[in-house]
Every structure is written in C-alpha cells, then in structure tokens.
Amino acid sequence: KAGVTQTPRYLIKTRGQQVTLSCSPISGHRSVSWYQQTPGQGLQFLFEYFSETQRNKGNFPGRFSGRQFSNSRSEMNVSTLELGDSALYLCASSLAAGHQYNEQFFGPGTRLTVL
Amino acid sequence: TQLLEQSPQFLSIQEGENLTVYCNSSSVFSSLQWYRQEPGEGPVLLVTVVTGGEVKKLKRLTFQFGDARKDSSLHITAAQPGDTGLYLCAGRTGNQFYFGTGTSLTVIP
C-alpha cells in the first residue's frame, strides 16, 4: 500500500507570495491533518479535515487555510508569506478522526523556505 | 505555549548504553503517543498508551504512561546506532494531538 505523498518536496518563495502544498493520503484514509515543524516551536497542529470538512483548527493566523477533496486529497495554502513561515510542513493521514488509538501516518513533508 | 516538555533536548551516547527520555505536562491526556523521526522523513508512530500506569514494551524500548496521564517516559536498553533520531511524544486532548519539544538522540558506534 502506498504511503502518504506530499508535493512538492522542496519549495522556495519570497515574502508576500502565496503557496499551495498538496497531500495524498493512504488509500482508504479519510482524515488528513497538517502540521508545521520548526526547530524553535517543534511540531504544531494546523488543521484536520475529515470527509471534506474541517474538524479542528490550531492556533495559526487566517493566512493558513486548507481544503479536502472528495477523494480525500488535501491542499493547504499560505498567503502573504512571511520569513517565519519557513518550515517543514507535514501531512498525516488516518482512517478516521476522533478515536484515541487513531494512528497517524506521516508523509515526508514539504520543506518551504521563504526568502 | 508548549503543552508537553521533553527532556533532555539532546542526547549523545555510546552504543550499548541505556537511556531514558521524559515527556512532561501539567495537562491530562486521553492518550499519548511516541514517534521517531529521521532526517528527511516524517515521524513514525512507535506506540500508543491510553491507561494511566500502562507500560508497553517494543523490543528494547519500554514506554510508560504516568498514573495521572500527564507524563510519560521512553527507556531504551542497549542503544544501537539505528536508534538515532528525533523522538517525539504527542498527547491527545479532545480531537487534537499536541507534540512535545522533541529529543534528538545520537548513538555513537
């Protein structure tokens, strides 16, 4: 079974631009979560989607948004990029949301650098 | 605000030594997970603990969930170079996981 795929793997943008990252979950998984990982703040939750609906949202500004399509693929968008948005963006998929044994399978991430 | 604090932040040990990583919080979690992340990859789940006081063993790794479900520890016996990586704990509250600050482990052959 193919794992979680994220595209692109690396991205360089300049301040003020916008960016869209893509995530394809494991086949059959309906929940997709997004995380931002930086050396200073560690791994922080952005949002979770399940069946095309946003179920949870972390404490990030409105410049960060996402969506999920009917095939469970998900995209996240960051508008008006700032230097501090440079990070590894990780996508995780799981079968369903809400169960305490819910195992998240992470993709390799997209490394975003903002210049 | 970090809900989960891990210690130590960095650890460098010789092959064959034992080590313990701690994950502490003032919050109560319904479950706690441990992950290992290697460079260029996403975190990989090692274990999920749910019950206060629960102990789980995975070969040379022993995981314990605190009685009050606020803290956890990971003990590695006879560490090997293949154990090198970033170890992350993640506590679940409601429908959200909160990740710890991470412990970077290097095992020197």
Side-chain angles (χ1 to χ4, degrees):
Chain A
K1 185 185 276 191
V4 178
T5 58
Q6 292 187 245
T7 56
R9 290 293 309 277
Y10 302 90
L11 206 49
I12 300 175
K13 293 285 188 178
T14 57
R15 278 180 299 176
Q17 287 187 310
Q18 72 149 11
V19 68
T20 299
L21 311 182
S22 180
C23 171
S24 292
I26 292 172
S27 177
H29 285 194
R30 295 171 63 190
S31 174
V32 173
S33 297
W34 288 90
Y35 294 85
Q36 181 195 65
Q37 187 174 30
T38 59
Q41 296 296 317
L43 239 153
Q44 293 188 296
F45 173 77
L46 280 156
F47 26 68
E48 178 189 19
Y49 287 87
F50 179 77
S51 292
E52 302 178 64
T53 301
Q54 186 181 90
R55 281 176 51 91
N56 291 293
K57 189 177 191 303
N59 190 27
F60 277 80
R63 299 185 296 107
F64 292 81
S65 63
R67 59 178 176 168
Q68 187 180 33
F69 302 94
S70 58
N71 62 358
S72 294
R73 190 177 71 84
S74 177
E75 289 181 347
M76 68 162 281
N77 184 277
V78 187
S79 62
T80 319
L81 284 166
E82 300 176 0
L83 295 179
D85 296 333
S86 294
L88 180 67
Y89 290 88
L90 292 161
C91 163
S93 80
S94 56
L95 274 171
H99 194 280
Q100 60 187 357
Y101 277 107
N102 205 27
E103 179 173 359
Q104 298 183 93
F105 294 84
F106 283 84
T110 293
R111 172 73 63 185
L112 171 65
T113 302
V114 182
L115 302 175
Chain B
T1 303
Q2 285 286 357
L3 286 184
L4 286 160
E5 295 289 337
Q6 287 184 235
S7 61
Q9 189 176 358
F10 298 96
L11 193 53
S12 181
I13 62 172
Q14 295 289 329
E15 181 177 359
E17 292 184 349
N18 302 333
L19 67 115
T20 302
V21 177
Y22 299 93
C23 174
N24 296 300
S25 175
S26 57
S27 301
V28 176
F29 297 102
S30 58
S31 65
L32 193 135
Q33 298 181 329
W34 283 92
Y35 292 80
R36 181 171 68 210
Q37 184 178 19
E38 299 186 21
E41 299 180 11
V44 175
L45 180 67
L46 297 174
V47 76
T48 300
V49 286
V50 177
T51 306
E54 182 176 0
V55 177
K56 281 193 175 179
K57 292 190 176 185
L58 183 67
K59 296 183 181 179
R60 294 176 294 100
L61 278 60
T62 302
F63 305 86
Q64 184 164 7
F65 201 12
D67 291 340
R69 290 186 288 130
K70 293 182 179 181
D71 54 84
S72 181
S73 64
L74 157 61
H75 182 79
I76 301 179
T77 303
Q80 299 178 359
D83 296 327
T84 293
L86 179 67
Y87 288 82
L88 296 159
C89 63
R92 185 181 186 92
T93 298
N95 289 321
Q96 189 168 324
F97 278 101
Y98 295 88
F99 278 79
T101 47
T103 294
S104 180
L105 171 65
T106 301
V107 182
I108 303 166

